Amino acid sequence: MLRKSWQLNVKCTCWLQLQRRYVHGNVVETLRSRNFVQAVTSETISEQVKSPVAVYCGVDPTASSLHLGNMVTLMGLLHFHLAGHQVLPLVGNATGAIGDPSGRSTERVALEQDVLAKNIAGIELQLKRFFERGTAYAQSRIPDLDPNVLRPVRVLHNADWYQGLGVLQFLGSVGRHVRIGAMMARDSVKSRLQSPQGISFTEFSYQLLQAYDFWYLYHHHGCRIQLGGSDQWGNITAGTDLIRRLPGPQSTSAGDQDSQSIGEAFGLTIPLLTTASGEKFGKSAGNAVWLDETRTSPFDIYQFFVKTSDSDVERFLKMFTLLPLPKIAQVVKDHSQAPHHFLAQKLLAAEVTQLIHGQAGLNQALCATEVLFGNRQSLESQQFTSQDFANAFLGDHRLVSISRSHVLGKPISEIAVLLGSCKSKSEATRLARSGGLYWNNQPIADSKWVPSIESGDFIGENTIGIVRTGKTNYRLLQIL
């Protein structure tokens, strides 16, 4: 008894320490201040999060990678995690075979089992990586944050509780507590009923499955809050309604929560990611920015956010970073005084790239950015290593590796031909004379000029040279 009391005191002490270090001490108020909250099922949710709660958000494996649209809700979960709550990211490996009609005008294409399995593996890995990197990122943004006192993130799969659950048992227990009128009134259903394609029974029943997910997590994992995008409101309220109507199991297995003692269930929706002009992001919109570095590189993530409009940058800084709000306000103010420097956009791009891909990914993005858009001075000041360049352009045809004996002592005209920048030395000579031939982003007027290591003409530990012809044709020479 003494040991159990000591453990409880330790947990309470850690919780209070986390709350003092967190921005508001109340995660819902933090989310409100960062424009995360679209709607809540009850305003008393702010009172409930004054003590630790479990919260979940589901992701169906409709693709092998998460995208920025998913990241908005994951940022909400990250805030709960950093405030000391138990977060439960849910992979919908059962519901992914059905397809959520929310936010869609047509039915999803059914996935083959091998594709679904690949997607599930990819999503699970990304969820774990997101919270690992997110916590590491938070340590550099939230003073005195101790990750050892945070509750471990638990990635769950809803197929675990659908296995062995027959259709007759599901309809007999869940179906009898759900009203068709309420199901028909959901926006996702009404919009599809009014469309030429209509809606299948499969997608119509999706809300039952998501409602049951919440019911199961409520009774077996003590989960009281579900997060989701604003298009998930109908599915979330279906879950809170089912929790009120359907009694919990009479007995629970070891480690499960008491099915009748944890109180009201809540839903919180987050605005869908759009630009100020109303443009949506995601697979359905056809402009997804993926979190998988093999589909959207760290450089492309960085460039996406660097191009953020002035009207969106403050909102994105609040939602996609953990920077304190006063710092964001100051950066936006500084940016407004010299918008041509893109201070706010560059900060946003760096923060998000580090959050998603870690410091190594940010280094890659900055390296590639300097190569493609910087000058000699900025390249040298960054002190990138040879490996930084190799990582930044991994798998890119513009990175050409050539042995030392084939390069050193050669004029730039010959090097340009070796790299494929020019078809011939005469072409390189014409470009040099017209001001269109560059070495490390500096114009070279003499095509006979020979770069040398002794003169400091190479960068990246004296192994990298960048040849540019015209405005956008780059080749990176890596000396082996």
Side-chain angles (χ1 to χ4, degrees), residues 339-365:
H340 58 286
H341 290 311
F342 301 102
L343 295 176
Q345 283 88 345
K346 289 178 180 178
L347 177 63
L348 171 66
E351 293 288 312
V352 177
T353 305
Q354 183 178 351
L355 172 59
I356 297 174
H357 295 297
Q359 186 62 48
L362 176 58
N363 289 343
Q364 292 177 31

PDB file of all heavy atoms in Angstrom, residues 339-365:
ATOM      1  N   PRO A 339       8.897  42.298 -45.790  1.00  0.00           N
ATOM      2  CA  PRO A 339       8.345  41.043 -46.315  1.00  0.00           C
ATOM      3  C   PRO A 339       9.187  40.393 -47.397  1.00  0.00           C
ATOM      4  O   PRO A 339       9.089  39.175 -47.604  1.00  0.00           O
ATOM      5  CB  PRO A 339       6.968  41.469 -46.858  1.00  0.00           C
ATOM      6  CG  PRO A 339       7.069  42.947 -47.073  1.00  0.00           C
ATOM      7  CD  PRO A 339       8.002  43.451 -46.023  1.00  0.00           C
ATOM      8  N   HIS A 340      10.039  41.182 -48.068  1.00  0.00           N
ATOM      9  CA  HIS A 340      10.858  40.612 -49.145  1.00  0.00           C
ATOM     10  C   HIS A 340      11.958  39.692 -48.619  1.00  0.00           C
ATOM     11  O   HIS A 340      12.564  38.947 -49.394  1.00  0.00           O
ATOM     12  CB  HIS A 340      11.487  41.742 -49.972  1.00  0.00           C
ATOM     13  CG  HIS A 340      12.328  42.688 -49.171  1.00  0.00           C
ATOM     14  ND1 HIS A 340      11.765  43.630 -48.324  1.00  0.00           N
ATOM     15  CD2 HIS A 340      13.679  42.841 -49.064  1.00  0.00           C
ATOM     16  CE1 HIS A 340      12.745  44.328 -47.745  1.00  0.00           C
ATOM     17  NE2 HIS A 340      13.904  43.857 -48.169  1.00  0.00           N
ATOM     18  N   HIS A 341      12.199  39.712 -47.297  1.00  0.00           N
ATOM     19  CA  HIS A 341      13.185  38.797 -46.710  1.00  0.00           C
ATOM     20  C   HIS A 341      12.572  37.439 -46.326  1.00  0.00           C
ATOM     21  O   HIS A 341      13.307  36.504 -46.004  1.00  0.00           O
ATOM     22  CB  HIS A 341      13.828  39.426 -45.479  1.00  0.00           C
ATOM     23  CG  HIS A 341      14.737  40.585 -45.788  1.00  0.00           C
ATOM     24  ND1 HIS A 341      15.708  40.531 -46.748  1.00  0.00           N
ATOM     25  CD2 HIS A 341      14.806  41.835 -45.248  1.00  0.00           C
ATOM     26  CE1 HIS A 341      16.357  41.693 -46.805  1.00  0.00           C
ATOM     27  NE2 HIS A 341      15.820  42.500 -45.919  1.00  0.00           N
ATOM     28  N   PHE A 342      11.239  37.359 -46.310  1.00  0.00           N
ATOM     29  CA  PHE A 342      10.535  36.106 -46.013  1.00  0.00           C
ATOM     30  C   PHE A 342      10.974  35.489 -44.680  1.00  0.00           C
ATOM     31  O   PHE A 342      11.142  34.271 -44.559  1.00  0.00           O
ATOM     32  CB  PHE A 342      10.740  35.089 -47.145  1.00  0.00           C
ATOM     33  CG  PHE A 342      10.256  35.567 -48.483  1.00  0.00           C
ATOM     34  CD1 PHE A 342      11.159  36.040 -49.427  1.00  0.00           C
ATOM     35  CD2 PHE A 342       8.907  35.565 -48.792  1.00  0.00           C
ATOM     36  CE1 PHE A 342      10.719  36.504 -50.657  1.00  0.00           C
ATOM     37  CE2 PHE A 342       8.465  36.023 -50.027  1.00  0.00           C
ATOM     38  CZ  PHE A 342       9.365  36.494 -50.962  1.00  0.00           C
ATOM     39  N   LEU A 343      11.155  36.337 -43.664  1.00  0.00           N
ATOM     40  CA  LEU A 343      11.611  35.847 -42.358  1.00  0.00           C
ATOM     41  C   LEU A 343      10.645  34.827 -41.764  1.00  0.00           C
ATOM     42  O   LEU A 343      11.062  33.779 -41.259  1.00  0.00           O
ATOM     43  CB  LEU A 343      11.790  37.025 -41.397  1.00  0.00           C
ATOM     44  CG  LEU A 343      12.886  38.042 -41.729  1.00  0.00           C
ATOM     45  CD1 LEU A 343      12.846  39.190 -40.731  1.00  0.00           C
ATOM     46  CD2 LEU A 343      14.251  37.362 -41.713  1.00  0.00           C
ATOM     47  N   ALA A 344       9.355  35.143 -41.804  1.00  0.00           N
ATOM     48  CA  ALA A 344       8.366  34.249 -41.199  1.00  0.00           C
ATOM     49  C   ALA A 344       8.286  32.929 -41.962  1.00  0.00           C
ATOM     50  O   ALA A 344       8.202  31.848 -41.359  1.00  0.00           O
ATOM     51  CB  ALA A 344       7.001  34.934 -41.167  1.00  0.00           C
ATOM     52  N   GLN A 345       8.320  33.001 -43.279  1.00  0.00           N
ATOM     53  CA  GLN A 345       8.234  31.785 -44.084  1.00  0.00           C
ATOM     54  C   GLN A 345       9.448  30.894 -43.891  1.00  0.00           C
ATOM     55  O   GLN A 345       9.316  29.664 -43.804  1.00  0.00           O
ATOM     56  CB  GLN A 345       8.086  32.143 -45.565  1.00  0.00           C
ATOM     57  CG  GLN A 345       6.690  32.598 -45.967  1.00  0.00           C
ATOM     58  CD  GLN A 345       6.480  34.099 -45.801  1.00  0.00           C
ATOM     59  OE1 GLN A 345       7.284  34.763 -45.134  1.00  0.00           O
ATOM     60  NE2 GLN A 345       5.421  34.631 -46.382  1.00  0.00           N
ATOM     61  N   LYS A 346      10.628  31.479 -43.807  1.00  0.00           N
ATOM     62  CA  LYS A 346      11.846  30.678 -43.619  1.00  0.00           C
ATOM     63  C   LYS A 346      11.845  30.011 -42.245  1.00  0.00           C
ATOM     64  O   LYS A 346      12.269  28.854 -42.111  1.00  0.00           O
ATOM     65  CB  LYS A 346      13.080  31.556 -43.786  1.00  0.00           C
ATOM     66  CG  LYS A 346      13.331  31.996 -45.234  1.00  0.00           C
ATOM     67  CD  LYS A 346      14.551  32.900 -45.339  1.00  0.00           C
ATOM     68  CE  LYS A 346      14.792  33.326 -46.782  1.00  0.00           C
ATOM     69  NZ  LYS A 346      15.954  34.246 -46.912  1.00  0.00           N
ATOM     70  N   LEU A 347      11.359  30.729 -41.236  1.00  0.00           N
ATOM     71  CA  LEU A 347      11.267  30.131 -39.907  1.00  0.00           C
ATOM     72  C   LEU A 347      10.263  28.991 -39.908  1.00  0.00           C
ATOM     73  O   LEU A 347      10.528  27.909 -39.368  1.00  0.00           O
ATOM     74  CB  LEU A 347      10.867  31.194 -38.878  1.00  0.00           C
ATOM     75  CG  LEU A 347      10.660  30.691 -37.449  1.00  0.00           C
ATOM     76  CD1 LEU A 347      11.951  30.128 -36.879  1.00  0.00           C
ATOM     77  CD2 LEU A 347      10.129  31.812 -36.556  1.00  0.00           C
ATOM     78  N   LEU A 348       9.101  29.221 -40.510  1.00  0.00           N
ATOM     79  CA  LEU A 348       8.080  28.181 -40.608  1.00  0.00           C
ATOM     80  C   LEU A 348       8.632  26.944 -41.308  1.00  0.00           C
ATOM     81  O   LEU A 348       8.467  25.812 -40.830  1.00  0.00           O
ATOM     82  CB  LEU A 348       6.868  28.724 -41.361  1.00  0.00           C
ATOM     83  CG  LEU A 348       5.785  27.707 -41.755  1.00  0.00           C
ATOM     84  CD1 LEU A 348       5.106  27.142 -40.517  1.00  0.00           C
ATOM     85  CD2 LEU A 348       4.749  28.354 -42.682  1.00  0.00           C
ATOM     86  N   ALA A 349       9.289  27.144 -42.437  1.00  0.00           N
ATOM     87  CA  ALA A 349       9.825  26.021 -43.208  1.00  0.00           C
ATOM     88  C   ALA A 349      10.843  25.227 -42.408  1.00  0.00           C
ATOM     89  O   ALA A 349      10.838  23.980 -42.414  1.00  0.00           O
ATOM     90  CB  ALA A 349      10.450  26.540 -44.504  1.00  0.00           C
ATOM     91  N   ALA A 350      11.725  25.919 -41.702  1.00  0.00           N
ATOM     92  CA  ALA A 350      12.757  25.236 -40.910  1.00  0.00           C
ATOM     93  C   ALA A 350      12.133  24.452 -39.757  1.00  0.00           C
ATOM     94  O   ALA A 350      12.517  23.300 -39.487  1.00  0.00           O
ATOM     95  CB  ALA A 350      13.770  26.254 -40.383  1.00  0.00           C
ATOM     96  N   GLU A 351      11.167  25.066 -39.077  1.00  0.00           N
ATOM     97  CA  GLU A 351      10.543  24.411 -37.921  1.00  0.00           C
ATOM     98  C   GLU A 351       9.798  23.146 -38.346  1.00  0.00           C
ATOM     99  O   GLU A 351       9.932  22.088 -37.724  1.00  0.00           O
ATOM    100  CB  GLU A 351       9.583  25.382 -37.233  1.00  0.00           C
ATOM    101  CG  GLU A 351      10.251  26.573 -36.573  1.00  0.00           C
ATOM    102  CD  GLU A 351      11.015  26.209 -35.312  1.00  0.00           C
ATOM    103  OE1 GLU A 351      10.453  25.499 -34.462  1.00  0.00           O
ATOM    104  OE2 GLU A 351      12.178  26.629 -35.184  1.00  0.00           O
ATOM    105  N   VAL A 352       9.001  23.246 -39.401  1.00  0.00           N
ATOM    106  CA  VAL A 352       8.204  22.097 -39.822  1.00  0.00           C
ATOM    107  C   VAL A 352       9.095  20.979 -40.362  1.00  0.00           C
ATOM    108  O   VAL A 352       8.870  19.802 -40.074  1.00  0.00           O
ATOM    109  CB  VAL A 352       7.162  22.519 -40.880  1.00  0.00           C
ATOM    110  CG1 VAL A 352       6.376  21.305 -41.360  1.00  0.00           C
ATOM    111  CG2 VAL A 352       6.213  23.558 -40.315  1.00  0.00           C
ATOM    112  N   THR A 353      10.104  21.341 -41.125  1.00  0.00           N
ATOM    113  CA  THR A 353      11.009  20.319 -41.667  1.00  0.00           C
ATOM    114  C   THR A 353      11.731  19.580 -40.547  1.00  0.00           C
ATOM    115  O   THR A 353      11.881  18.352 -40.582  1.00  0.00           O
ATOM    116  CB  THR A 353      12.030  20.958 -42.620  1.00  0.00           C
ATOM    117  OG1 THR A 353      11.351  21.696 -43.636  1.00  0.00           O
ATOM    118  CG2 THR A 353      12.895  19.891 -43.282  1.00  0.00           C
ATOM    119  N   GLN A 354      12.164  20.300 -39.526  1.00  0.00           N
ATOM    120  CA  GLN A 354      12.827  19.650 -38.392  1.00  0.00           C
ATOM    121  C   GLN A 354      11.849  18.772 -37.626  1.00  0.00           C
ATOM    122  O   GLN A 354      12.198  17.667 -37.194  1.00  0.00           O
ATOM    123  CB  GLN A 354      13.436  20.692 -37.451  1.00  0.00           C
ATOM    124  CG  GLN A 354      14.194  20.063 -36.289  1.00  0.00           C
ATOM    125  CD  GLN A 354      14.845  21.085 -35.381  1.00  0.00           C
ATOM    126  OE1 GLN A 354      14.879  22.274 -35.683  1.00  0.00           O
ATOM    127  NE2 GLN A 354      15.360  20.634 -34.256  1.00  0.00           N
ATOM    128  N   LEU A 355      10.626  19.238 -37.449  1.00  0.00           N
ATOM    129  CA  LEU A 355       9.621  18.453 -36.739  1.00  0.00           C
ATOM    130  C   LEU A 355       9.332  17.139 -37.455  1.00  0.00           C
ATOM    131  O   LEU A 355       9.266  16.076 -36.830  1.00  0.00           O
ATOM    132  CB  LEU A 355       8.334  19.276 -36.600  1.00  0.00           C
ATOM    133  CG  LEU A 355       7.091  18.569 -36.051  1.00  0.00           C
ATOM    134  CD1 LEU A 355       7.356  18.005 -34.663  1.00  0.00           C
ATOM    135  CD2 LEU A 355       5.916  19.535 -36.007  1.00  0.00           C
ATOM    136  N   ILE A 356       9.190  17.199 -38.779  1.00  0.00           N
ATOM    137  CA  ILE A 356       8.828  16.004 -39.544  1.00  0.00           C
ATOM    138  C   ILE A 356      10.027  15.093 -39.767  1.00  0.00           C
ATOM    139  O   ILE A 356       9.936  13.869 -39.597  1.00  0.00           O
ATOM    140  CB  ILE A 356       8.222  16.394 -40.904  1.00  0.00           C
ATOM    141  CG1 ILE A 356       6.914  17.168 -40.708  1.00  0.00           C
ATOM    142  CG2 ILE A 356       7.975  15.151 -41.765  1.00  0.00           C
ATOM    143  CD1 ILE A 356       6.333  17.717 -42.000  1.00  0.00           C
ATOM    144  N   HIS A 357      11.175  15.664 -40.133  1.00  0.00           N
ATOM    145  CA  HIS A 357      12.316  14.862 -40.578  1.00  0.00           C
ATOM    146  C   HIS A 357      13.525  14.940 -39.662  1.00  0.00           C
ATOM    147  O   HIS A 357      14.567  14.356 -39.981  1.00  0.00           O
ATOM    148  CB  HIS A 357      12.729  15.284 -41.990  1.00  0.00           C
ATOM    149  CG  HIS A 357      11.680  15.003 -43.027  1.00  0.00           C
ATOM    150  ND1 HIS A 357      11.256  13.727 -43.319  1.00  0.00           N
ATOM    151  CD2 HIS A 357      10.960  15.840 -43.831  1.00  0.00           C
ATOM    152  CE1 HIS A 357      10.329  13.783 -44.262  1.00  0.00           C
ATOM    153  NE2 HIS A 357      10.129  15.041 -44.597  1.00  0.00           N
ATOM    154  N   GLY A 358      13.423  15.646 -38.557  1.00  0.00           N
ATOM    155  CA  GLY A 358      14.542  15.734 -37.635  1.00  0.00           C
ATOM    156  C   GLY A 358      15.601  16.714 -38.113  1.00  0.00           C
ATOM    157  O   GLY A 358      15.503  17.294 -39.201  1.00  0.00           O
ATOM    158  N   GLN A 359      16.634  16.903 -37.293  1.00  0.00           N
ATOM    159  CA  GLN A 359      17.697  17.839 -37.631  1.00  0.00           C
ATOM    160  C   GLN A 359      18.428  17.424 -38.901  1.00  0.00           C
ATOM    161  O   GLN A 359      18.812  18.271 -39.714  1.00  0.00           O
ATOM    162  CB  GLN A 359      18.688  17.950 -36.466  1.00  0.00           C
ATOM    163  CG  GLN A 359      19.757  19.000 -36.658  1.00  0.00           C
ATOM    164  CD  GLN A 359      19.189  20.403 -36.780  1.00  0.00           C
ATOM    165  OE1 GLN A 359      18.347  20.819 -35.975  1.00  0.00           O
ATOM    166  NE2 GLN A 359      19.640  21.156 -37.777  1.00  0.00           N
ATOM    167  N   ALA A 360      18.602  16.125 -39.094  1.00  0.00           N
ATOM    168  CA  ALA A 360      19.289  15.657 -40.303  1.00  0.00           C
ATOM    169  C   ALA A 360      18.504  16.030 -41.550  1.00  0.00           C
ATOM    170  O   ALA A 360      19.074  16.454 -42.568  1.00  0.00           O
ATOM    171  CB  ALA A 360      19.505  14.149 -40.239  1.00  0.00           C
ATOM    172  N   GLY A 361      17.187  15.881 -41.490  1.00  0.00           N
ATOM    173  CA  GLY A 361      16.349  16.243 -42.629  1.00  0.00           C
ATOM    174  C   GLY A 361      16.385  17.727 -42.909  1.00  0.00           C
ATOM    175  O   GLY A 361      16.401  18.159 -44.073  1.00  0.00           O
ATOM    176  N   LEU A 362      16.409  18.533 -41.841  1.00  0.00           N
ATOM    177  CA  LEU A 362      16.506  19.984 -42.023  1.00  0.00           C
ATOM    178  C   LEU A 362      17.835  20.353 -42.665  1.00  0.00           C
ATOM    179  O   LEU A 362      17.883  21.214 -43.556  1.00  0.00           O
ATOM    180  CB  LEU A 362      16.345  20.690 -40.669  1.00  0.00           C
ATOM    181  CG  LEU A 362      16.528  22.216 -40.697  1.00  0.00           C
ATOM    182  CD1 LEU A 362      15.554  22.884 -41.660  1.00  0.00           C
ATOM    183  CD2 LEU A 362      16.378  22.793 -39.288  1.00  0.00           C
ATOM    184  N   ASN A 363      18.915  19.707 -42.225  1.00  0.00           N
ATOM    185  CA  ASN A 363      20.226  19.978 -42.834  1.00  0.00           C
ATOM    186  C   ASN A 363      20.211  19.673 -44.339  1.00  0.00           C
ATOM    187  O   ASN A 363      20.782  20.423 -45.138  1.00  0.00           O
ATOM    188  CB  ASN A 363      21.308  19.146 -42.147  1.00  0.00           C
ATOM    189  CG  ASN A 363      21.599  19.622 -40.734  1.00  0.00           C
ATOM    190  OD1 ASN A 363      21.245  20.731 -40.358  1.00  0.00           O
ATOM    191  ND2 ASN A 363      22.233  18.778 -39.942  1.00  0.00           N
ATOM    192  N   GLN A 364      19.568  18.578 -44.709  1.00  0.00           N
ATOM    193  CA  GLN A 364      19.457  18.232 -46.126  1.00  0.00           C
ATOM    194  C   GLN A 364      18.704  19.319 -46.892  1.00  0.00           C
ATOM    195  O   GLN A 364      19.116  19.722 -47.990  1.00  0.00           O
ATOM    196  CB  GLN A 364      18.724  16.906 -46.282  1.00  0.00           C
ATOM    197  CG  GLN A 364      19.471  15.692 -45.764  1.00  0.00           C
ATOM    198  CD  GLN A 364      18.642  14.437 -45.890  1.00  0.00           C
ATOM    199  OE1 GLN A 364      17.830  14.299 -46.803  1.00  0.00           O
ATOM    200  NE2 GLN A 364      18.838  13.507 -44.967  1.00  0.00           N
ATOM    201  N   ALA A 365      17.592  19.759 -46.312  1.00  0.00           N
ATOM    202  CA  ALA A 365      16.767  20.767 -46.982  1.00  0.00           C
ATOM    203  C   ALA A 365      17.517  22.080 -47.136  1.00  0.00           C
ATOM    204  O   ALA A 365      17.466  22.721 -48.198  1.00  0.00           O
ATOM    205  CB  ALA A 365      15.473  20.980 -46.199  1.00  0.00           C
TER     206      ALA A 365
END
